[in-house]
Each structure stands twice: as C-alpha cells, then as structure tokens.
Amino acid sequence: MSERDKQKRYESDSNIEGSMYARVNAGGNAKYDTPNKKGKKSNSLSRTLLFYILGFIISIIFIFIGLWLFHDYFYNGGMNQVKPTLILLLSSFSIGFLSSKIIIKKRV
C-alpha cells in the first residue's frame, strides 16, 4: 500500500465532518460548507407511484396484445392450462415494469 493510499484511508477513517465533534467544536478543522452526502431525496414518493402506475398500465397493454396475438390458442381451451397463462402474465409484467423503469430513468 502506497503512502497516498495510507493517507486516504487515514483521512476517511478519521473523518469527523458529520460527527458531534464537528458540531460542537467550531475549530479550524470543522467544515460547514460540505454538500449533503445523502443526495437528493426529492420526489421519491411520486417516482415510486409513477413507476408502479406506468408498470401496471404497460403490463396490461402487453397482456391485451398477447391475448390478441394468440387469440385462437387462448380462446380454444388454452386459457385452462396454467403454463401458457403464467408465461403470458409473467412476461407481460416483466416487460411492463422494465419499460417503466427505462422511461422513468430517461425522463428524470
């Protein structure tokens, strides 16, 4: 380990920016203009709601597209079989929520 790595590790271990010492001791080493390390937490509830609403809407659209494409199969007794129905539902929900995630990531 080089000296620079040791120094970085020592500084990260002894970081007191957010500790009680930095709040109480207004000495020369305390930094008050550091940005919030937690990052932005704004609109997290609205993003979550938007994610689920878009996911369900897109999933329902894909379910109807799947039922329309395989109309003859599902309406001639295929709906009574578990495997094709589960494949349609699971693939529709996974595609719907994946596309919802991509849409939200590009928009925000």
Side-chain angles (χ1 to χ4, degrees):
M1 190 181 268
S2 68
E3 282 298 316
R4 186 171 33 177
D5 293 335
K6 287 180 184 176
Q7 184 65 27
K8 273 187 171 181
R9 184 171 181 173
Y10 174 75
E11 287 174 359
S12 67
D13 288 344
S14 63
N15 188 6
I16 59 169
E17 288 177 356
S19 69
M20 205 56 174
Y21 177 77
R23 293 183 189 138
V24 173
N25 186 10
N29 290 338
K31 297 178 183 177
Y32 295 103
D33 58 345
T34 58
N36 189 2
K37 292 184 180 181
K38 291 181 181 178
K40 284 188 174 180
K41 199 177 178 182
S42 64
N43 299 331
S44 63
L45 179 64
S46 62
R47 274 189 187 172
T48 304
L49 288 175
L50 183 65
F51 170 72
Y52 283 112
I53 290 171
L54 275 176
F56 280 118
I57 290 172
I58 295 171
S59 298
I60 290 171
I61 290 170
F62 276 110
I63 288 172
F64 281 124
I65 289 173
L67 287 173
W68 178 68
L69 286 175
F70 300 107
H71 180 273
D72 294 333
Y73 178 76
F74 280 112
Y75 288 107
N76 288 332
M79 195 65 120
N80 295 331
Q81 297 177 359
V82 176
K83 196 182 281 187
T85 307
L86 284 179
I87 290 172
L88 175 68
L89 289 176
L90 291 177
S91 63
S92 298
F93 279 115
S94 61
I95 290 171
F97 282 102
L98 182 67
S99 57
S100 173
K101 183 177 180 179
I102 291 170
I103 290 170
I104 289 176
K105 191 177 280 190
K106 289 196 183 233
R107 299 263 312 156
V108 179

